[in-house]
Amino acid sequence: IYAIRKGADTVLVLNKSLRDTLAGKRFAKEKLQILPGGVDYQTITRFKPTTGEGFDAVYLGRIHATKGAFDLPHIWSIVVDKNSAATLAIIGTGSQNNIKKLENLIVKNNLGKNVKVLGFIPQERLWTILKNSKIFLFCDHEAGFGLAVAEAMAAGLPVVGYDIGILGDVFKTGYFKIPLSDTAEFSQKVIELLKNDSLRGRLARDARSEASQHDWQKVALKFKHILDKMQP
């Protein structure tokens, strides 16, 4: 941190919260520039699903406590109490211990027919599932940008996620924001979206529009402008 603070002409950060954190560590504010990550928006929006595989909700991320993966069985058990046929896909990898822990929680909550742990899957299958599904679950307890959120939004999925400074800062619309670790409220918003096709459709349109603002072409142009300002 000391070397970056003293030697860098410009420091790129993913969001406003991180910029404020570094400013509090005596980084010069004029050197801190916000440049979020990007998504291959055009490719995802043009992609046609290769099969009919889809779910009521999708989680995409590492199987780890900091990603909120172990909140999923409790969240989905409440959803299933209201909709016994509701299905959830969990996509991502993790340590053997973490995967085993997740699978045990799924069994404990009697969700064997409702939750599928898919592990790592090829990109075409991922985009197919996203395009055929209804809601994206953003359970991260900490994150800097949220690439999975951007991909899901580009595929037209509204997001239900924890309030950790990403929804409302990096992403401005297309989501429901839930207090961190409030799995009961999280579940209720999922249930509401699954019931209300009109609301889900509106949020899906908002999500797709929001994802377009994070297209790599636009992000690259912002990066170019930052570099241009650094020229002597």
Side-chain angles (χ1 to χ4, degrees), residues 1-229:
I1 289 177
Y2 175 84
I4 296 170
R5 186 173 65 218
K6 292 296 183 181
D9 295 315
T10 296
V11 178
L12 304 180
V13 297
L14 288 168
N15 57 56
K16 181 179 180 295
S17 176
L18 184 53
R19 182 188 66 186
D20 294 344
T21 296
L22 291 180
K25 294 182 179 294
R26 296 183 290 116
F27 277 71
K29 290 185 179 180
E30 63 273 14
K31 291 186 177 182
L32 296 171
Q33 300 286 338
I34 298 175
L35 185 71
V39 64
D40 196 354
Y41 175 79
Q42 295 297 333
T43 302
I44 294 174
T45 54
R46 293 170 183 164
F47 177 79
K48 303 298 183 184
T50 57
T51 69
E53 186 179 18
F55 298 82
D56 289 303
V58 177
Y59 164 90
L60 171 61
R62 190 159 46 95
I63 309 303
H64 193 276
T66 60
K67 308 300 286 184
F70 305 128
D71 295 354
L72 292 167
H74 185 231
I75 290 169
W76 210 249
S77 68
I78 298 173
V79 174
V80 169
D81 280 344
K82 298 294 184 180
N83 181 356
S84 61
T87 56
L88 167 65
I90 299 177
I91 303 170
T93 61
S95 70
Q96 289 186 350
N97 286 342
N98 282 345
I99 292 172
K100 186 64 176 178
K101 179 179 178 179
L102 177 63
E103 290 174 341
N104 287 340
L105 286 170
I106 291 170
V107 171
K108 182 179 179 181
N109 285 276
N110 298 313
L111 295 172
K113 295 181 179 179
N114 301 89
V115 178
K116 302 299 180 186
V117 180
L118 302 181
F120 172 83
I121 61 176
Q123 189 171 72
E124 284 195 358
R125 186 183 177 195
L126 168 62
W127 288 351
T128 290
I129 289 174
L130 290 176
K131 288 258 182 160
N132 288 335
S133 297
K134 296 178 179 178
I135 302 172
F136 185 77
L137 308 186
F138 179 58
C139 299
D140 289 36
H141 290 204
E142 56 183 51
F145 169 61
L147 176 58
V149 172
E151 288 192 340
M153 284 184 164
L157 292 187
V159 175
V160 179
Y162 286 138
D163 182 9
I164 58 169
I166 304 301
L167 302 177
D169 182 2
V170 176
F171 303 101
K172 309 298 185 185
T173 188
Y175 59 82
F176 273 131
K177 187 166 58 175
I178 310 298
L180 181 60
S181 297
D182 189 344
T183 53
E185 177 64 17
F186 202 118
S187 303
Q188 292 308 312
K189 286 302 181 185
V190 171
I191 292 167
E192 180 181 351
L193 275 177
L194 290 178
K195 279 184 175 181
N196 192 328
D197 293 345
S198 176
L199 174 61
R200 193 173 70 249
R202 177 175 62 78
L203 280 182
R205 290 189 293 272
D206 290 345
R208 194 177 289 109
S209 176
E210 177 63 31
S212 72
Q213 301 305 308
H214 300 278
D215 181 87
W216 271 122
Q217 297 297 323
K218 294 181 179 180
V219 175
L221 187 59
K222 291 178 183 178
F223 185 36
K224 181 181 182 302
H225 287 164
I226 291 171
L227 293 178
D228 288 346
K229 289 180 180 180

